[in-house]
Amino acid sequence: MPIVTTDHQVTHTSTVPANKDEIVELFVRERNGTPPGQPRKPVLMLHGRSVPVLPGFDLQYKSYSWAEDLAKAGYDVFLMDLQGSGLSPRPKMDDPRNVNPAQQHLLNPRPPGFVPGPPSYPYQLTNSDSDRDELNTVVEFVLNECGTAKLAFVGWSAAAFHMGPYAIDNPGRVESLFLLAPIFPANGSSTPPSPLPQPGFPTFVGGKTGFVRGMDNETHCVDQREPGITDVAWDAIMACDPIGSAWGPPTGFNRIRNFVRWGWNKTTASQGGVLGGSVPVLIVYGDSDTQVNTSPPNPDPELNFSVPELYDAVAGPHKLMVKLACAGHSVVWEAQHKNVHLLSKHWLKHLKVDGKTQGVFDMDTDGILSPVS
């Protein structure tokens, strides 16, 4: 059956300090594959720190659209951008003076009238409270739209900071949690810093050269990704950023929001036994992912990440972890993306992996699972 695609602008009262109390519109794309006469089964997908939701989850190239694959399986898939990312508002980020001062020299040729200097808004942009408030608004929108009591979460990378704590606080709304390459500081802070907003700047920038280099550094297998896919992914990122795409070199810059986070660690992940209890959890990551497992350990607990420690911290018994062979942090654009899609469809339907509801597995490039003893 045909998939119906609708782009929504979801009204939200902002709690981002830079535009607090303003009415904003959050970007949400819906890919609805619900068969006629069947109840809707909503899935909400959330991006990580630097890649907007559409390039990550709905890349319109060959088989790479994860959202489309789930919609073809009969799900009503929603994809959201938080403020500061993608097609949602980016308060204070259009001003190049609000780019990290250490990176302003990269904006060459200069945006018209730009003179490097201290930030016009000398604070970090968003925080855990504002991000979770936006997630809550979109969850309410999706549940109302679909007429359901619960939805499934799918998050990549730093999405874990928002989806994990939200599921713990709202287990009656979250059916299950699928975390791809989750960032987890086991000994990170449970409480917000003071004061808020924190001093700093709103925006980092990332260029295509660094984007490709980051993927190259995690490529250790023949055919781990197909030729030209980095160009396709970068072009999709630039399509979501008309301002950044016009800055600097011909390939433009990806504008990345600077945010303050807290409340996602081994203490909060185990809270109440919700994760792995009423909210089953599947964790998936690549064996070459250097972002989610810091080695050697970072002395700063906020920057010391470990996926296995997340699995250990989940207190409930309904939890699974799968390590993908020949995969890095950007597995959504690698050959293993097909197996990620298959895993997610099996998980959403059965809440099991290889017939099991608990355990740690390896998955080879053919999609064959083997339990880790």
Side-chain angles (χ1 to χ4, degrees), residues 83-115:
Q83 285 198 86
S85 183
L87 300 177
S88 283
R90 301 195 190 211
K92 306 297 182 183
M93 293 177 70
D94 290 355
D95 183 352
R97 281 285 289 271
N98 285 330
V99 169
N100 179 358
Q103 293 185 309
Q104 289 183 15
H105 70 281
L106 300 174
L107 303 186
N108 191 9
R110 305 287 187 204
F114 171 54
V115 178

Side-chain angles (χ1 to χ4, degrees), residues 112-356:
F114 171 54
V115 178
S120 304
Y121 180 80
Y123 302 100
Q124 298 184 53
L125 187 62
T126 67
N127 59 62
S128 289
D129 281 347
S130 65
D131 287 340
R132 291 169 200 163
D133 289 342
E134 291 170 19
L135 177 59
N136 181 66
T137 291
V138 174
V139 167
E140 290 184 344
F141 168 79
V142 171
L143 296 179
N144 289 334
E145 188 82 3
C146 295
T148 57
K150 290 187 175 186
L151 78 174
F153 274 170
V154 174
W156 179 24
S157 190
F161 280 106
H162 320 306
M163 286 185 153
Y166 185 90
I168 292 165
D169 290 341
N170 301 274
R173 292 181 166 192
V174 182
E175 184 174 13
S176 64
L177 182 60
F178 183 111
L179 295 177
L180 177 65
I183 304 295
F184 183 69
N187 296 304
S189 175
S190 294
T191 56
S194 181
L196 286 176
Q198 279 280 284
F201 50 86
T203 313
F204 293 99
V205 292
K208 184 177 181 181
T209 299
F211 173 75
V212 175
R213 184 188 304 118
M215 291 185 67
D216 286 345
N217 289 342
E218 295 184 345
T219 300
H220 305 297
C221 298
V222 176
D223 299 327
Q224 185 168 329
R225 68 176 193 262
E226 69 172 293
I229 189 61
T230 54
D231 295 330
V232 175
W234 181 258
D235 289 346
I237 292 170
M238 289 295 92
C240 293
D241 192 351
I243 301 295
S245 63
W247 283 358
T251 51
F253 281 108
N254 180 24
R255 293 182 299 159
I256 303 165
R257 67 201 183 104
N258 192 6
F259 69 96
V260 184
R261 74 308 191 274
W262 62 86
W264 180 235
N265 52 46
K266 62 185 179 182
T267 300
T268 55
S270 65
Q271 185 178 317
V274 173
L275 297 186
S278 58
V279 181
V281 178
L282 173 57
I283 301 165
V284 181
Y285 71 104
D287 63 351
S288 298
D289 190 337
T290 59
Q291 298 188 46
V292 297
N293 292 309
T294 46
S295 182
N298 194 302
D300 183 348
E302 299 294 344
L303 300 175
N304 190 38
F305 308 135
S306 170
V307 176
E309 286 193 73
L310 172 57
Y311 180 81
D312 292 341
V314 172
H318 197 159
K319 60 176 183 177
L320 297 122
M321 184 168 68
V322 176
K323 182 168 67 174
L324 303 166
C326 296
H329 196 69
S330 299
V331 63
V332 294
W333 304 311
E334 296 177 339
Q336 278 280 43
H337 77 276
K338 293 181 180 180
N339 286 328
V340 171
H341 295 186
L342 289 171
L343 259 179
S344 67
K345 288 184 286 187
H346 189 83
W347 171 252
L348 290 170
K349 185 175 182 179
H350 303 290
L351 296 178
K352 296 179 181 180
V353 168
D354 201 28
K356 297 179 176 63

Side-chain angles (χ1 to χ4, degrees), residues 27-87:
F27 174 80
V28 176
R29 171 165 291 178
E30 179 182 2
R31 305 295 305 277
N32 188 352
T34 306
Q38 296 296 310
R40 293 159 83 173
K41 297 179 291 185
V43 177
L44 179 58
M45 309 185 84
L46 179 63
H47 60 85
R49 171 180 173 268
S50 61
V51 177
V53 75
L54 297 186
F57 291 131
D58 198 21
L59 186 67
Q60 295 299 300
Y61 183 71
K62 296 185 178 180
S63 61
Y64 288 91
S65 174
W66 191 353
E68 184 172 302
D69 208 4
L70 291 180
K72 287 179 178 177
Y75 294 95
D76 194 356
V77 185
F78 294 82
L79 310 97
M80 70 170 290
D81 277 322
L82 295 165
Q83 285 198 86
S85 183
L87 300 177

